[in-house]
Amino acid sequence: METHGLVAGNVNAAYEDYGSSGKEHGGSPGISRRRSHTVAGQSCAVESDTDAEELYIQQAVVLIEDAIQYRSINHRVDARSLRLYRWYYSRICQWGLGLAIGVVLLLAFVERPSSLSISSDPRHRFPPWEPPCGFTESIEMFCLVIFSLDLAVKGYLIGWEEFRKNKWLIGYTFVISFSVIDWMLSVSMACDEKLRVRRLLRPFFLLQNSSMMKKTLKCIKRTLPEIASVILLLALHLCLFTMIGMLLFAKSEDPKKNEEWRLHFRDLPSSLTSLLVLLTTANNPDVMIPAYSLNRAYSMFFVTFSVIGTYCLMNLLTAIIYNQFRGYLLMSVQTSIIRRRLGIRAAFQILSCQGALTAEEHVAVDLVLKVMFRVQMKSYYREAITKEAHKYADVGYMDREQFRKIFDELDKDRIKEHPPLPHYNSLVLQRLQVVFSHYFLTILGNAVALANVMCICTVLVLNAERSTAERDNYTIEIINLCFILYYLFEVCVKIFAFGWKGYLSYRNNIFDFFLTILLLVLEITIFVTYRLPHSRDPSSQGVMSLWEMVRLINMLIVFRFLRIIPDIKLMALVASTVLDLVKNLRAFAGILIVVYYVFAVLGIWLFEGAIQPPSEMSVLTNTSMENITSNFSMECGTYEQLEYWPNNFDDFAAAIMLLYDVMIVNNWQAFLEAYSRHTTEWSKIYFVCWWLTSSVMWVNLFVAVILENFIYKWDRSHSCSVTDVERIRYQTSVQLMFREHIQEPTEEELRCQLIQHPHLHLHW
């Protein structure tokens, strides 16, 4: 059988990555089924007992659930295994496993060095609370027991033959075993060990539990050769300009002309560092000012370096990362689509043999409806598929292609239908309903909200230089009260026009209603507290002063102005794109969390306590900077002069924030210089590796996925109105973003894979 190379490769790849919770499983031979499906002379042998029929229906249910979730169907299919399989993928079981993974990762914030302190600044930080020995260890062992049970269930469901072929499950076994051994060493040493190696392995629990994370990681791995070629070109560019710079700004006999050499080109490491930081524009124009002040022609060196490196090579690297990663991701998504088609095809084959007495290669509609009633899925998808199946009720059965097409509803957008408007008998009420349900009322409400925000801005400008006692809080409070009363009026008339169910069917109305009620409660509180006779002084500092309450109301009013987002099409698309990134692209953020976690643990091992403030700075917390500098000189722009003391590797939370600051690359040269000065020049390798991983590679990948997501939604909603955008729930998953570029597997390819299934003995 000849197959297309891309599809054939992905069909085989569909069985490589088993063991992901909620996504992947495999199977093994050696378990015989109670029934067999045979196709010989257009006949299908089927046992007729009730237990066997129940088993076949249960198999079809599980196969369809696998297809919906893009899971592999290569697992045990006997009755007991199917019960265990469905229990394992139940919501409570998966949430419990996810909670255990979250807890074991969060232990890094509590373990020594603990992050449980208000400040990470060593000048102000009090000794943090250190958990007693055995506290975090007990929680960790409980999580490891859960992971061991998870591994045992996965191993049983796929069987030993597939287990030993699966690198992720073998790695899972190794990580759990190593963690238990390291845990025993920690307990035996009374929790006083210097190094907990198992902390570095904990992100593996997060990776192995997500199919999409593993696919993304595989795509990144395959993209590395193309990235390495551009990085090599970038390194050549950097080295070439470093040598030219050292020749241009060599030390001369005139001390006045040596400032560029002294600050940036003193030796090879400092020259490389200066130009590497210039590549990120973090030290521009500081790096060229000493030379530029002597001769304006020197600026050509730095401009040429930046144009070639920053604007050409770095953008070329972004394009290559996006293009190559997108291609490999497309191949991984192809695997997911094949899994869905395999699950649906296998379910059809089982159900068609169940109905062999009526028609060969057909499945009874009643049987499909019975199966769909048991499938665990979202209710609106079940209703849509059931509705499509009912179209064949007159015929009584559907063929293979019809059976496949009813599951195309899974890829369609959900159209949210709002409840009908309430009916009023009075003619006056009917006319009022028409007025208050008109879109003009929403536009008027947005205009009023804008006027309220402008009033707040005006008052803030007028009160910018005034103290709390000098501010006229009563005026702004009265203005806000008038606007809030209008907001309450708008809520009431909309409820009158649409009814309670109709009003709450709009998400922006729920947001508006909640904030309006909250603002009204705060206004009543202010009135009761500050307007009644014998009320206390407005400037008094009780639970909240008048100014604090007015400030809270102002913030809520400004926040309420976000209600305009659903009413502007482009803003609505941008907002929905951000929400879809949170919901559907968690795998990308998950790998970024893994990278942050690993680098933070490594940073603590390498640099914990490396930078400490001078003793005179620790005690003079209330002394002005001028007095401190008299005892401790600090060069301008350094870690010490910028007071970056809270950015350190003294605990896990502080390490995360320092890595974030470096990823932003704003003034990151201060960290490079400080840690190389307090430790060794080789420490720069750590920060450069983090910059390449986070800022160069991962941020570019994330930007590319955001663009892909937005373009996908923009193309689909280009002809929609604002109302349609609000009504349509776009199904924006990674699979659907690349759906039009994916090739459907052929019937021969699906049959080939189903014949190779170790448990479903389907004879064709």
Side-chain angles (χ1 to χ4, degrees):
M1 179 182 65
E2 296 181 0
T3 59
H4 190 278
L6 176 62
V7 176
N10 282 285
V11 169
N12 295 326
Y15 292 91
E16 293 179 358
D17 298 330
Y18 305 121
S20 288
S21 175
K23 297 290 179 189
E24 299 169 321
H25 276 293
S28 66
I31 303 298
S32 61
R33 291 188 46 200
R34 295 182 54 192
R35 67 165 289 186
S36 64
H37 304 275
T38 60
V39 179
Q42 299 302 319
S43 64
C44 189
V46 184
E47 300 178 6
S48 59
D49 60 278
T50 307
D51 291 341
E53 179 182 352
E54 178 63 26
L55 174 61
Y56 309 150
I57 293 177
Q58 188 71 1
Q59 289 171 349
V61 168
V62 171
L63 289 171
I64 291 175
E65 289 176 350
D66 289 341
I68 293 172
Q69 300 296 332
Y70 299 104
R71 294 195 295 250
S72 170
I73 65 170
N74 207 20
H75 53 77
R76 298 179 190 267
V77 289
D78 58 276
R80 185 177 65 176
S81 298
L82 290 176
R83 285 194 296 269
L84 176 62
Y85 187 81
R86 296 196 79 192
W87 171 82
Y88 177 77
Y89 282 113
S90 62
R91 180 174 298 181
I92 185 172
C93 185
Q94 292 300 307
W95 280 15
L97 182 60
L99 179 63
I101 294 173
V103 168
V104 80
L105 291 177
L106 290 175
L107 286 177
F109 291 95
V110 184
E111 293 173 330
R112 300 175 186 173
S114 174
S115 302
L116 301 180
S117 59
I118 297 177
S119 173
S120 61
D121 192 331
R123 300 172 300 174
H124 310 140
R125 181 177 56 199
F126 294 99
W129 176 78
E130 299 284 354
C133 181
F135 177 75
T136 58
E137 287 73 17
S138 301
I139 298 175
E140 184 178 13
M141 178 50 65
F142 180 74
C143 294
L144 290 175
V145 169
I146 294 178
F147 298 148
S148 300
L149 292 175
D150 176 52
L151 178 64
V153 171
K154 288 177 178 176
Y156 169 77
L157 289 173
I158 70 171
W160 169 248
E161 291 297 326
E162 290 296 328
F163 182 89
R164 64 183 185 178
K165 298 177 185 177
N166 193 305
K167 296 179 181 179
W168 281 100
L169 289 182
I170 293 175
Y172 198 14
T173 306
F174 170 77
V175 170
I176 293 176
S177 303
F178 187 89
S179 299
V180 171
I181 295 173
D182 195 47
W183 181 90
M184 295 172 65
L185 290 175
S186 297
V187 174
S188 64
M189 297 174 66
C191 311
D192 197 31
E193 76 280 15
K194 298 294 183 182
L195 208 62
R196 292 190 177 186
V197 183
R198 64 183 185 275
R199 295 179 69 182
L200 200 61
L201 302 178
R202 287 173 185 169
F204 184 87
F205 298 129
L206 180 63
L207 278 178
Q208 68 83 30
N209 196 51
S210 169
S211 170
M212 201 62 215
M213 282 190 196
K214 291 193 287 188
K215 291 180 188 299
T216 306
L217 199 63
K218 184 181 293 186
C219 293
I220 294 174
K221 178 182 176 182
R222 292 177 176 178
T223 310
L224 286 178
E226 287 79 9
I227 297 175
S229 61
V230 181
I231 290 180
L232 184 62
L233 182 60
L234 201 62
L236 181 63
H237 166 74
L238 183 63
C239 293
L240 178 64
F241 272 83
T242 297
M243 289 184 288
I244 295 175
M246 293 182 70
L247 292 173
L248 277 178
F249 308 113
K251 186 177 181 180
S252 65
E253 298 299 329
D254 188 358
K256 295 181 180 180
K257 299 181 179 180
N258 289 336
E259 194 68 14
E260 185 74 35
W261 168 83
R262 184 183 68 83
L263 293 175
H264 305 295
F265 291 91
R266 191 181 190 92
D267 49 37
L268 183 61
S270 62
S271 302
L272 279 171
T273 303
S274 297
L275 291 182
L276 177 64
V277 175
L278 179 60
L279 202 63
T280 66
T281 70
N283 61 351
N284 186 66
D286 299 352
V287 68
M288 75 171 184
I289 290 300
Y292 183 56
S293 63
L294 295 176
N295 191 331
R296 69 180 69 212
Y298 282 129
S299 63
M300 296 303 299
F301 168 81
F302 298 99
V303 170
T304 304
F305 174 82
S306 296
V307 168
I308 297 175
T310 304
Y311 297 107
C312 293
L313 294 181
M314 291 297 290
N315 289 327
L316 179 63
L317 181 62
T318 301
I320 290 178
I321 289 175
Y322 172 55
N323 186 60
Q324 294 296 326
F325 181 82
R326 189 179 187 274
Y328 290 123
L329 186 61
L330 177 61
M331 296 176 64
S332 296
V333 171
Q334 180 85 43
T335 304
S336 299
I337 299 301
I338 291 173
R339 286 182 172 177
R340 172 168 286 187
R341 297 295 177 255
L342 279 173
I344 294 173
R345 184 65 181 87
F348 172 82
Q349 190 64 25
I350 292 176
L351 295 178
S352 64
C353 283
Q354 181 65 16
L357 297 178
T358 58
E360 186 63 32
E361 285 298 308
H362 291 79
V363 58
V365 174
D366 292 340
L367 194 57
V368 174
L369 296 177
K370 187 176 182 180
V371 169
M372 293 308 303
F373 179 76
R374 298 190 184 185
V375 173
Q376 296 291 331
M377 60 190 306
K378 294 181 179 180
S379 58
Y380 51 87
Y381 284 141
R382 181 185 288 107
E383 293 173 2
I385 295 174
T386 303
K387 182 179 179 181
E388 288 296 312
H390 274 297
K391 294 180 179 180
Y392 306 98
D394 294 339
V395 182
Y397 58 85
M398 61 182 70
D399 59 26
R400 182 179 65 247
E401 187 63 21
Q402 291 168 342
F403 184 80
R404 184 192 66 81
K405 284 185 176 180
I406 67 173
F407 290 96
D408 289 343
E409 297 295 322
L410 295 172
D411 297 336
K412 294 182 179 179
D413 300 322
R414 179 191 175 190
I415 306 298
K416 182 180 178 182
E417 297 295 340
H418 298 293
L421 299 179
H423 178 70
Y424 296 102
N425 295 323
S426 173
L427 183 60
V428 176
L429 294 180
Q430 290 177 2
R431 291 182 177 178
L432 289 175
Q433 185 181 33
V434 172
V435 173
F436 294 141
S437 61
H438 197 275
Y439 187 65
F440 172 78
L441 183 65
T442 301
I443 298 177
L444 179 61
N446 292 336
V448 172
L450 177 61
N452 195 355
V453 171
M454 292 179 64
C455 289
I456 293 174
C457 291
T458 303
V459 173
L460 288 176
V461 171
L462 295 176
N463 293 337
E465 299 295 333
R466 298 178 182 177
S467 63
T468 303
E470 296 173 339
R471 293 191 181 102
D472 186 7
N473 296 320
Y474 294 104
T475 302
I476 186 62
E477 194 272 335
I478 292 173
I479 294 174
N480 286 340
L481 178 61
C482 296
F483 281 106
I484 291 171
L485 290 177
Y486 173 80
Y487 300 154
L488 183 62
F489 166 77
E490 184 183 5
V491 168
C492 293
V493 297
K494 282 188 175 182
I495 293 175
F496 161 77
F498 295 100
W500 266 107
K501 291 183 179 180
Y503 178 80
L504 296 178
S505 64
Y506 294 88
R507 288 168 290 180
N508 54 325
N509 283 347
I510 299 175
F511 172 79
D512 196 21
F513 176 80
F514 174 75
L515 285 183
T516 300
I517 296 301
L518 185 58
L519 289 169
L520 184 63
V521 170
L522 288 174
E523 283 292 337
I524 294 175
T525 303
I526 290 178
F527 177 76
V528 171
T529 306
Y530 296 104
R531 292 293 188 270
L532 293 180
H534 311 292
S535 62
R536 60 190 178 90
D537 184 11
S539 62
S540 61
Q541 298 295 322
V543 178
M544 291 184 71
S545 66
L546 176 60
W547 163 240
E548 291 171 339
M549 297 188 73
V550 171
R551 184 169 57 176
L552 177 60
I553 289 176
N554 291 341
M555 287 188 290
L556 291 175
I557 290 173
V558 173
F559 184 61
R560 184 184 176 275
F561 188 64
L562 295 177
R563 57 169 277 169
I564 70 168
I565 290 178
D567 300 318
I568 302 176
K569 180 180 176 180
L570 184 59
M571 291 181 65
L573 284 175
V574 171
S576 61
T577 300
V578 173
L579 292 177
D580 283 330
L581 288 173
V582 175
K583 293 187 295 183
N584 299 319
L585 302 181
R586 289 171 292 184
F588 297 89
I591 294 184
L592 185 60
I593 291 173
V594 169
V595 175
Y596 260 99
Y597 200 99
V598 170
F599 271 86
V601 172
L602 287 175
I604 293 174
W605 290 355
L606 296 173
F607 307 118
E608 181 185 358
I611 300 180
Q612 295 294 334
S615 56
E616 58 268 26
M617 292 188 68
S618 300
V619 297
L620 298 174
T621 55
N622 295 322
T623 309
S624 64
M625 183 57 64
E626 290 78 9
N627 293 332
I628 295 176
T629 53
S630 63
N631 298 321
F632 178 66
S633 60
M634 296 175 289
E635 187 175 347
C636 182
T638 60
Y639 180 96
E640 292 83 1
Q641 187 270 330
L642 296 170
E643 294 192 327
Y644 281 177
W645 305 108
N647 295 295
N648 53 62
F649 287 101
D650 293 348
D651 59 69
F652 189 78
I656 293 291
M657 283 306 304
L658 191 150
L659 291 175
Y660 174 78
D661 292 336
V662 174
M663 185 180 75
I664 301 301
V665 298
N666 184 24
N667 226 18
W668 69 300
Q669 70 274 12
F671 302 108
L672 283 171
E673 188 273 334
Y675 278 95
S676 63
R677 176 161 40 87
H678 286 85
T679 56
T680 173
E681 287 286 339
W682 294 103
S683 64
K684 294 179 180 179
I685 297 177
Y686 170 86
F687 291 98
V688 172
C689 289
W690 169 247
W691 168 70
L692 287 172
T693 304
S694 60
S695 183
V696 173
M697 187 170 182
W698 195 249
V699 170
N700 287 332
L701 282 176
F702 209 70
V703 169
V705 174
I706 290 175
L707 289 174
E708 195 74 38
N709 195 322
F710 178 77
I711 293 171
Y712 170 79
K713 297 194 72 171
W714 175 257
D715 290 342
R716 299 183 70 191
S717 62
H718 189 67
S719 60
C720 296
S721 64
V722 174
T723 306
D724 292 333
V725 171
E726 196 278 335
R727 291 175 63 241
I728 299 176
R729 301 286 182 87
Y730 293 100
Q731 303 303 316
T732 313
S733 63
V734 178
Q735 287 82 7
L736 293 180
M737 280 194 293
F738 296 99
R739 187 69 183 85
E740 62 182 18
H741 305 288
I742 294 174
Q743 183 180 0
E744 287 286 344
T746 64
E747 172 64 16
E748 289 77 12
E749 290 165 347
L750 295 178
R751 284 194 178 195
C752 180
Q753 293 301 315
L754 291 177
I755 289 173
Q756 297 173 10
H757 196 290
H759 300 299
L760 280 174
H761 297 161
L762 302 172
H763 303 290
W764 305 85

